[in-house]
Amino acid sequence: MNDGETDQTVRPTNLGQIIRKARTDLQMSQRDVEEATGKEISNAYLSQLESGKITKPSPHILYALSTVLAVPYETLMERAGYIVPSAQRPADVKHGRAATFAVDNLTADEEAALLDYLAYLRTKKG
């Protein structure tokens, strides 16, 4: 393979790579995407998404991108770390509910209290 060729078998894996590939496949510039989204997504913001500086944009932004770039919304949501429907989630992955994503923002005390409460709820199930 020479320097001018790209390997078509390489698949983008992170959110920024997916967005960039979809945009370039459609031969759109970042400004084209900005215009196509009605300036909802600026070309500067899109550049930060594609470079990985922004990794978790809002679902609203992801929806706009999915529409303009013809990428499944679910794919973008999954790559951004949002909830994946349990039917599409690998069997060994336990997370997928909104509450589990809050763990990243908990203090140590809040996490301990939450685990205590969860243990309490589990004792009441019987």
Side-chain angles (χ1 to χ4, degrees):
M1 179 182 322
N2 67 35
D3 290 338
E5 290 180 303
T6 58
D7 183 355
Q8 297 299 319
T9 62
V10 175
R11 297 192 58 185
T13 57
N14 71 37
L15 180 63
Q17 292 171 340
I18 290 169
I19 292 169
R20 179 181 292 123
K21 181 171 181 351
R23 178 179 61 76
T24 57
D25 285 352
L26 293 171
Q27 298 181 342
M28 294 179 79
S29 69
Q30 291 175 340
R31 289 200 189 276
D32 291 338
V33 173
E34 178 179 37
E35 292 300 320
T37 63
K39 299 197 179 199
E40 260 184 89
I41 303 168
S42 72
N43 66 320
Y45 188 83
L46 182 58
S47 175
Q48 290 180 334
L49 280 172
E50 290 182 2
S51 69
K53 289 181 182 172
I54 297 173
T55 57
K56 194 161 185 165
S58 73
H60 177 77
I61 295 293
L62 295 174
Y63 182 79
L65 287 170
S66 74
T67 302
V68 169
L69 300 176
V71 175
Y73 177 63
E74 295 78 14
T75 298
L76 297 181
M77 288 289 286
E78 179 182 356
R79 294 299 179 193
Y82 290 102
I83 298 170
V84 177
S86 60
Q88 295 175 4
R89 195 172 51 240
D92 61 337
V93 176
K94 294 181 182 180
H95 297 286
R97 300 276 185 211
T100 61
F101 289 99
V103 172
D104 292 337
N105 300 321
L106 296 177
T107 66
D109 289 340
E110 290 170 333
E111 185 176 358
L114 184 59
L115 290 172
D116 287 344
Y117 185 65
L118 180 59
Y120 167 76
L121 287 177
R122 287 181 174 163
T123 65
K124 297 296 179 189
K125 273 190 165 181

